[in-house]
Every structure is written in C-alpha cells, then in structure tokens.
Amino acid sequence: MPCHRAAVNRYCWQSRITIEGEGGEVIALVKERLNSVSTPFDLEWRHMSGKPWDWKLVHVSNETLTLPDYAE
C-alpha cells in the first residue's frame, strides 16, 4: 500500500520506527529486529468519527521486514 495516496478520513505517513525499553528476551529480540530496519514503515491512520482527535492506527507495513514463520 503506497502511503502517498490521500483520501478523506485517511492519512498515510512514512517513518522509521525505533523501539526502546527493558524487559526479557522477547523485548530484546523485537528491538534488535525492528531497530535494524533502515527503510521507513508505512503507517495508515483512519479518522473514526466527527471528533478531530479520533484517529486510529489501522495498518503498519514495511517491505523489507521479514518475520520468521513459527506455525507448526
């Protein structure tokens, strides 16, 4: 989904994401994986009502991010 398309009640934004935090092995794995991605993420927001502050993040993608398939 290219984020440069504009539509009513929808806003797309591209940005690099950096995760920070402390925790166990899972957080360390997430930080290592996401923080190493150099291409920007596409974030799609939708305006959910007539209230100006009522936006919801509905989609996040990155072409270069690959996740392992843990399905058995």
Side-chain angles (χ1 to χ4, degrees):
M1 171 200 72
C3 254
H4 60 273
R5 293 185 292 178
V8 175
N9 296 330
R10 176 177 167 226
Y11 183 78
C12 291
W13 177 53
Q14 289 186 330
S15 181
R16 187 165 183 277
I17 294 176
T18 302
I19 303 294
E20 294 183 14
E22 295 182 18
E25 294 176 19
V26 173
I27 295 298
L29 180 62
V30 169
K31 284 173 35 177
E32 176 185 331
R33 188 70 152 200
L34 289 180
N35 293 349
S36 67
V37 175
S38 61
T39 58
F41 285 79
D42 294 326
L43 297 97
E44 179 183 350
W45 297 83
R46 294 243 172 107
H47 196 205
M48 305 305 289
S49 72
K51 299 172 185 170
W53 59 83
D54 193 12
W55 288 84
K56 180 178 181 181
L57 180 62
V58 295
H59 185 82
V60 176
S61 64
N62 186 300
E63 292 179 4
T64 61
L65 179 65
T66 56
L67 301 174
D69 184 11
Y70 290 111
E72 295 182 65

